[in-house]
Amino acid sequence: MTEDFLVARLGVMHDRDGMTQEQAAEVLQGIWTTGWEARKITWEEERQEREADREEEQGGERERGRMNEEQNVDDRTMQSREPSMGVEDDGPKFVTGKPVQERIEYPPARFALKKLKEREYIELCYFTPEMRNEAAKSESVSANDIFTLTQEDNMLALKPASNFKAKTKVVQDEDLSWDQMGVASIDFLEHIIQENWPRSMIDAMHTFFFRLTHHRLRTEGVTGNRVLLLYQARARKEWHRQIKNPPKDGIFDVGVIDDRLLRTLKDEVFDQRREASLAGQQFLRLLCHTKLTLFSKFHSQSP
């Protein structure tokens, strides 16, 4: 089900079935969660099928390799007496004849994955397709790169220091478009599962994004989306800050959308637009005044 359908359904359930907005949202959340769980099961089944196919292909390759080895002992003996064009090694084994997949998706930057591993706040822009492609391009290492020691699987390894720094093209969450936030949040949720976040944190993030994308403010168009983008940016950042430094009265539930903060942010959006409008009007007055001055000066100098 699309977001627009669910938003419309939310209104229908509220008007026709006599439900409150909260009750309708809870029902739709249950529908969405059920669909999400079903998709996860389907993905897991597809992954297991791909693994089985891969193992079968690799098994066939090993068997053919063993037969070729037995049949070509003499040939290899003769080749060993001639200059070799290559050497056998323990390199990666690939499936002969297997083409590349139809769609290549690059992982987020190492810096972002490191933040996720430590369960810290990270901007959503790192999970957009544009930033993931940018991260793939910057993976190459030059002779002038600075390296740093990192620990992986209880072993020390040298890695380019640039992999663990924030990118210079970072877009703050409140400056993303609504579509960018939607796409990035899906990838973000998949990666926090891969990084084994606690179930409670995963559920909280799922509820958070679900309720934002199906909030009644979506019906207000650009203004509503802008308010929700601001809410996402500030509430999620504050949630991570409290996780790192828990307050005495406990960490707030990020899955509960606070109407008070939404009203404050809505006022802020209107104030920003009013200021922008006033600035635009002042600019137009200044432009008109400048044109009139130049016009008068030109005519006063005319013979």
Side-chain angles (χ1 to χ4, degrees):
M1 290 179 288
T2 64
E3 291 181 4
D4 291 337
F5 174 79
L6 287 175
V7 171
R9 182 59 181 156
L10 180 63
V12 171
M13 294 171 69
H14 172 64
D15 298 334
R16 189 192 67 186
D17 300 336
M19 293 185 180
T20 65
Q21 290 282 358
E22 291 74 14
Q23 290 173 334
E26 289 294 332
V27 172
L28 289 178
Q29 182 182 359
I31 297 173
W32 183 86
T33 302
T34 301
W36 171 261
E37 295 295 335
R39 287 195 297 273
K40 288 198 295 184
I41 293 174
T42 302
W43 293 338
E44 179 62 21
E45 291 175 349
E46 291 176 352
R47 185 189 67 79
Q48 292 177 0
E49 290 178 1
R50 290 195 299 271
E51 289 292 334
D53 292 341
R54 189 179 298 111
E55 291 177 2
E56 183 177 349
E57 290 176 355
Q58 292 175 347
E61 286 297 320
R62 286 194 294 270
E63 180 62 22
R64 287 191 292 273
R66 185 187 63 80
M67 295 175 63
N68 290 335
E69 184 73 16
E70 294 175 353
Q71 294 173 2
N72 299 321
V73 171
D74 292 339
D75 290 342
R76 290 201 306 274
T77 302
M78 292 297 295
Q79 291 173 1
S80 65
R81 298 173 185 173
E82 301 175 356
S84 176
M85 298 298 292
V87 295
E88 294 185 4
D89 56 28
D90 295 328
K93 301 299 186 292
F94 60 90
V95 180
T96 303
K98 180 181 179 180
V100 68
Q101 60 266 36
E102 180 181 356
R103 182 178 179 182
I104 299 176
E105 294 185 354
Y106 299 106
R110 293 177 185 269
F111 171 78
L113 295 178
K114 182 174 182 292
K115 286 286 188 178
L116 284 189
K117 193 175 188 67
E118 295 172 355
R119 301 172 190 169
E120 295 183 359
Y121 172 80
I122 184 67
E123 291 84 357
L124 283 181
C125 71
Y126 282 97
F127 303 91
T128 61
E130 298 84 359
M131 285 289 283
R132 290 173 63 168
N133 291 337
E134 183 68 24
K137 294 178 183 178
S138 63
E139 284 292 315
S140 58
V141 180
S142 69
N144 295 325
D145 280 337
I146 298 175
F147 288 78
T148 184
L149 278 174
T150 63
Q151 186 172 359
E152 293 185 0
D153 299 327
N154 297 323
M155 296 180 63
L156 291 177
L158 282 173
K159 297 286 185 180
S162 59
N163 288 346
F164 301 96
K165 293 182 179 179
K167 302 300 180 183
T168 56
K169 298 181 180 179
V170 171
V171 180
Q172 297 302 314
D173 279 9
E174 56 264 34
D175 296 326
L176 293 173
S177 69
W178 181 261
D179 289 340
Q180 285 178 321
M181 190 275 284
V183 172
S185 65
I186 293 173
D187 195 60
F188 170 80
L189 292 172
E190 291 178 354
H191 276 86
I192 64 176
I193 294 174
Q194 294 175 14
E195 293 297 335
N196 295 318
W197 277 28
R199 184 67 190 179
S200 58
M201 293 181 68
I202 294 174
D203 289 344
M205 282 286 94
H206 272 284
T207 303
F208 176 66
F209 283 109
F210 174 85
R211 290 181 172 174
L212 281 182
T213 54
H214 299 90
H215 197 275
R216 61 181 179 275
L217 280 176
R218 289 292 317 285
T219 61
E220 297 186 18
V222 176
T223 299
N225 287 349
R226 177 60 183 161
V227 173
L228 293 171
L229 281 170
L230 286 173
Y231 186 96
Q232 186 278 140
R234 298 184 188 179
R236 191 167 65 89
K237 184 178 290 186
E238 176 62 15
W239 187 61
H240 279 280
R241 189 190 68 80
Q242 290 194 15
I243 288 175
K244 193 171 184 179
N245 299 293
K248 292 181 179 180
D249 57 347
I251 302 169
F252 73 95
D253 184 355
V254 72
V256 176
I257 307 302
D258 190 279
D259 288 335
R260 297 168 302 172
L261 179 56
L262 283 175
R263 285 193 294 269
T264 300
L265 295 176
K266 193 171 185 178
D267 291 341
E268 181 180 322
V269 169
F270 282 131
D271 289 341
Q272 290 174 350
R273 291 185 175 178
R274 184 163 49 250
E275 291 174 2
S277 177
L278 291 174
Q281 292 174 12
Q282 291 176 355
F283 175 77
L284 288 175
R285 283 197 295 269
L286 177 61
L287 183 62
C288 291
H289 176 74
T290 303
K291 287 184 175 181
L292 288 173
T293 302
L294 292 175
F295 180 79
S296 300
K297 184 176 181 181
F298 174 78
H299 279 275
S300 64
Q301 293 177 353
S302 299

